[in-house]
Amino acid sequence: MNVVINVALLSRWHVHADDYARQAKEIDDISIKLVWDEEPERGQKWAEELGVPFEAKLETVLANSEIDAVIVDTPTNLHKEVIIQAAKHKKHIFTEKVLAFTVEDYNEIMAAIDEAGVKLMVSLPRLTEDYYVYAQETLDKGLLGKLSMVRCRFAHNGAVPSDETGTGWLPEHFFNKEQCGGGALIDLGAHPIYLTNRLAGPATALSAILQSTSDKYEVDDNAIVTVEYESGALGVLETSFLSSGSPFQLELYGTEGTLLIEDNQIKLKAKQTENKWVTPEALPESLPMPMVQWVKAIKDNVVPTITKEDVRSLTAINQAAALSNQEGRKVNLTELN
């Protein structure tokens, strides 16, 4: 393989597509060579902005022997088809979350990845942030005792109408159920899901309310999920496209302490702090961002900290939450197998 990883960008559909292109340009080991988009006009414009060729046929991109890897920002309902095709052509794959709508689709994608022997990275960036590393270290050191509950909230006002747009600042296609598979939970709610999965461990059951407050949308814009974990802990996961000024919140409650994280403010109360609220003097270093980990996996075979189980568990929680909301009942995760 080339010393530099030659990359094709596959679609500008997702709101983070430009972010990933920028990240790729900032990494010396990556060179953006091509753009493809399921909407040719959008892709042509992006290619011109980046100063690279546009290719209208996906098969031509994937058959190009000079392309080592792809960055996937297609509609989520195209992930399975595009990623499996890329794997069959021996291309390494970086993709926006979520990977798939169902555990069955996840299994098919991973089978293709494993057979091809290529490196897959799903962007779950908050598993690399310093506050997550601190929370995990706090748990691992036993400072909270036995974990009893995790609450995580991540919300914004992307669906609140403004004078400029009737659907808020999110692009209209983010409310397309066929393309997205859902709304606030499957998109923004992914972050509380994968963070809490990692902190609390394997989930066993959940109940979900996926609320659609406007007849303009066919997907949820406000959601809450309560999760039961094998560890005995409970999880409360909250997300919304309707919350102006809502801070990111991650709260861990245990038998011997509490850790509260709200944006950049962190407070810990535990036996070791004499049951007084303290703010850590310094946080541990953040882990490498997902794209950096992906490059290291490709070039040096370094095992990423973001794992297949992180990706599978995210898929499972979303699938079970949709089923719970649809049928109005608690869903056991074993039902998905």
Side-chain angles (χ1 to χ4, degrees):
M1 194 194 71
N2 300 324
V3 175
V4 174
I5 301 168
N6 290 329
V7 165
L9 303 181
L10 304 187
S11 182
R12 201 182 194 177
W13 176 86
H14 201 279
V15 294
H16 290 314
D18 287 348
D19 296 329
Y20 296 132
R22 185 184 67 253
Q23 288 179 29
K25 291 173 71 174
E26 292 173 351
I27 297 174
D28 292 338
D29 293 320
I30 292 179
S31 178
I32 298 172
K33 294 297 185 182
L34 287 172
V35 167
W36 168 86
D37 200 301
E38 72 278 3
E39 293 188 7
E41 184 177 348
R42 181 177 62 196
Q44 182 70 54
K45 181 176 184 294
W46 200 20
E48 291 173 0
E49 291 175 13
L50 295 171
V52 299
F54 172 74
E55 173 53 57
K57 294 183 179 180
L58 179 61
E59 177 61 29
T60 301
V61 175
L62 298 179
N64 187 334
S65 61
E66 294 185 0
I67 299 299
D68 304 307
V70 295
I71 296 175
V72 178
D73 282 297
T74 65
T76 311
N77 67 331
L78 297 183
H79 277 191
K80 180 180 174 181
E81 174 188 351
V82 169
I83 291 172
I84 288 177
Q85 283 189 52
K88 288 181 177 178
H89 283 82
K90 305 293 185 181
K91 308 303 183 188
H92 303 289
I93 299 144
F94 181 98
T95 181
E96 176 60 286
K97 47 73 179 151
V98 296
L99 178 66
F101 293 148
T102 67
V103 172
E104 182 179 3
D105 285 349
Y106 163 87
N107 289 336
E108 289 186 40
I109 293 170
M110 295 312 302
I113 296 291
D114 292 342
E115 182 177 353
V118 295
K119 305 299 185 183
L120 171 71
M121 172 58 70
V122 180
S123 184
L124 309 181
R126 289 177 178 260
L127 289 176
T128 68
E129 297 283 0
D130 53 7
Y131 62 77
Y132 159 72
V133 178
Y134 179 76
Q136 190 68 66
E137 289 182 356
T138 300
L139 272 181
D140 293 344
K141 292 175 181 177
L143 299 185
L144 304 184
K146 180 177 173 57
L147 185 67
S148 57
M149 180 173 286
V150 181
R151 174 181 172 265
C152 190
R153 176 176 180 81
F154 194 28
H156 59 50
N157 63 344
V160 177
S162 66
D163 294 337
E164 291 77 24
T165 172
T167 57
W169 56 261
L170 281 171
E172 189 171 346
H173 59 247
F174 260 56
F175 305 97
N176 183 309
K177 188 173 184 179
E178 180 182 1
Q179 292 186 342
C180 301
L185 184 67
I186 202 169
D187 177 60
L188 200 59
H191 303 289
I193 292 172
Y194 66 69
L195 280 167
T196 307
N197 280 341
R198 180 70 80 82
L199 292 164
T204 59
L206 62 75
S207 297
I209 299 174
L210 278 59
Q211 185 182 56
S212 182
T213 64
S214 172
D215 56 11
K216 294 180 181 179
Y217 312 137
E218 52 183 345
V219 297
D220 58 290
D221 51 20
N222 205 28
I224 185 168
V225 184
T226 56
V227 188
E228 301 171 34
Y229 296 91
E230 287 182 8
S231 63
L234 296 176
V236 179
L237 316 180
E238 304 171 16
T239 193
S240 179
F241 287 162
L242 303 173
S243 296
S244 180
S246 178
F248 169 74
Q249 295 170 312
L250 176 61
E251 304 171 2
L252 283 72
Y253 300 95
T255 56
E256 298 180 11
T258 295
L259 175 63
L260 302 179
I261 299 171
E262 183 170 297
D263 287 340
N264 296 322
Q265 298 178 339
I266 299 178
K267 297 192 302 181
L268 173 66
K269 179 191 282 188
K271 288 183 178 180
Q272 288 79 355
T273 69
E274 299 179 348
N275 289 317
K276 297 178 181 178
W277 288 110
V278 299
T279 298
E281 294 182 2
L283 295 177
E285 285 190 17
S286 298
L287 300 172
M289 286 291 289
M291 191 172 290
V292 173
Q293 293 198 32
W294 180 56
V295 169
K296 290 182 178 295
I298 294 169
K299 298 197 69 171
D300 304 318
N301 206 32
V302 175
V303 177
T305 64
I306 296 170
T307 68
K308 292 180 180 179
E309 186 53 39
D310 291 320
V311 178
R312 184 193 183 282
S313 297
L314 172 59
T315 305
I317 294 292
N318 270 304
Q319 183 183 357
L323 180 61
S324 172
N325 181 72
Q326 178 182 345
E327 299 188 356
R329 65 177 180 88
K330 182 168 80 171
V331 171
N332 293 312
L333 274 293
T334 55
E335 297 179 43
L336 307 184
N337 296 329

